[in-house]
């Protein structure tokens, strides 16, 4: 039986009017009362009635999509793929960008729950499983995007980032590079740690004499890549690496910017550079950047298809779809 506003009021020890004010006019309620009501809402799984009024008869025609970083063209392409598939089924996508912020991630998931979407696609930041279990209890299915689901109860559509990291560093070694630095972060992102793990596999499989270091950034953005490039340039020349593996193409573009402006560490003459994702800007850079390609649009289409199938048949067993990455070689990793 659905949780009512009276149930929330009883659990919080307040009146129905107070609960209504928290939902509609929170500025009129004391902080203590608002916290008690919100705690009761979370514990009971209450969904506002206004969402139910918006719900179409039968199955909802909306799907929520929460992405990790809306500034990254890779995610734009993933969403476009999902939209293309959704249009074939008469489905509209509600979009939310978390910017790697767990609080915003929670807000979007709560909003989509209120809207009673048919399901949620999410590229998560951190451990999102408890909140997705909460959605499942409300009858809202979820599929992880760009994150391997492993043994979890949720399906996922991703790319093998470990294999991608291995491909990138194997290529750098094959071009004669011996002092390789990985640039990216934060380190609590699964995509980052998987790419580092793949890089280490390539190092372990190579002949002795390969140096490898990790230069952490606080985000995978152009600005963070540029800042990392400046830090490298502050080192004595003897401590410069001869190859850079950027966690994504935005970081690679920032690195290229800093190195090109300074002019002492030329790409690819003094240093090779490879990114990840193969966004359109990689091939259009002043020095076209080699990259590890992910089938972004296919990821979005597949994730939407899986979500609709599971919303139609809740008994389906969760499945993990993993695409293999592809090495794309351009001028930035020309042979030393």
């Amino acid at each position: 039986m659905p949780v009512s506003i009276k149930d929330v009021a009883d659990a919080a020890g307040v009146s129905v009017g107070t609960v209504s004010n928290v939902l509609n006019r929170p500025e009129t309620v004391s902080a203590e009362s608002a916290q008690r009501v919100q705690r009761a809402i979370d514990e009971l799984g209450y969904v506002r009635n206004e969402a139910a009024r918006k719900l179409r008869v039968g199955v909802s025609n909306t799907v929520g999509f929460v992405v990790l970083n809306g500034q990254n063209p890779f995610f734009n392409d993933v969403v476009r793929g999902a939209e293309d598939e959704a249009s074939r089924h008469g489905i509209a996508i509600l979009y939310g960008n978390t910017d790697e912020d767990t609080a915003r991630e929670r807000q979007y998931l709560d909003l989509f729950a209120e809207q009673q979407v048919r399901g949620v696609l999410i590229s998560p930041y951190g451990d999102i499983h408890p909140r997705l279990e909460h959605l499942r209890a409300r009858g809202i299915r979820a599929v992880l995007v760009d994150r391997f689901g492993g043994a979890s109860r949720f399906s996922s559509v991703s790319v093998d980032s470990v294999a991608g990291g291995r491909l990138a560093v194997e290529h750098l070694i094959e071009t004669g590079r011996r002092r390789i630095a990985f640039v990216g972060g934060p380190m609590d992102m699964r995509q980052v740690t998987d790419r580092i793990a793949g890089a280490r596999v390539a190092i372990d499989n190579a002949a002795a004499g390969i140096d490898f270091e990790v230069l952490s950034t606080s985000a995978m953005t152009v600005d963070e890549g540029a800042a990392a490039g400046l830090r490298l340039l502050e080192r004595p020349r003897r401590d410069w690496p001869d190859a850079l593996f950027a966690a994504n193409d935005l970081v690679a573009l920032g690195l290229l910017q800093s190195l090109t402006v300074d002019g002492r560490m030329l790409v690819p003459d003094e240093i090779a550079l490879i990114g990840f994702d193969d966004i359109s800007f990689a091939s259009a850079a002043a020095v076209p950047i080699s990259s590890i390609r992910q089938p972004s649009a296919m990821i979005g289409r597949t994730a939407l298809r899986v979500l609709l199938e599971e919303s139609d048949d809740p008994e389906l067993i969760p499945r993990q779809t993993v695409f293999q990455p592809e090495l794309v070689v351009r001028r930035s990793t020309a042979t030393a």
Side-chain angles (χ1 to χ4, degrees), residues 129 144-152 154-159 190 194 320-322:
H129 288 81
L144 305 177
V145 180
D146 196 38
R147 169 75 69 83
F148 180 61
S152 76
F154 300 96
S155 292
S156 67
V157 181
S158 62
V159 168
R190 178 67 180 271
D194 280 355
Q320 316 306 329
T321 303
V322 182

Side-chain angles (χ1 to χ4, degrees), residues 207-273:
I210 307 296
D211 294 327
F212 182 69
E213 64 176 313
V214 174
L215 305 177
S216 179
T217 63
S218 62
M220 297 211 289
T221 63
V222 172
D223 287 345
E224 282 294 305
L230 293 177
R231 292 197 298 273
L232 279 172
L233 291 165
E234 291 173 353
R235 297 180 177 183
R237 182 179 289 269
R238 65 179 179 275
D239 294 333
W240 287 355
D242 63 9
L244 299 173
F245 171 24
N248 71 1
D249 288 340
L250 296 181
V251 173
L253 287 165
L255 287 165
L256 179 63
Q257 179 186 75
S258 290
L259 302 183
T260 301
V261 170
D262 181 87
R264 290 177 295 154
M265 194 188 295
L266 296 177
V267 178
D269 300 336
E270 281 82 26
I271 190 165
L273 173 63

Side-chain angles (χ1 to χ4, degrees), residues 77-99:
D77 292 341
V78 173
V79 173
R80 176 63 64 84
E83 287 176 333
D84 289 344
E85 182 66 23
S87 67
R88 297 179 56 246
H89 300 273
I91 300 290
I93 290 184
L94 306 178
Y95 169 84
N97 167 37
T98 68
D99 264 343

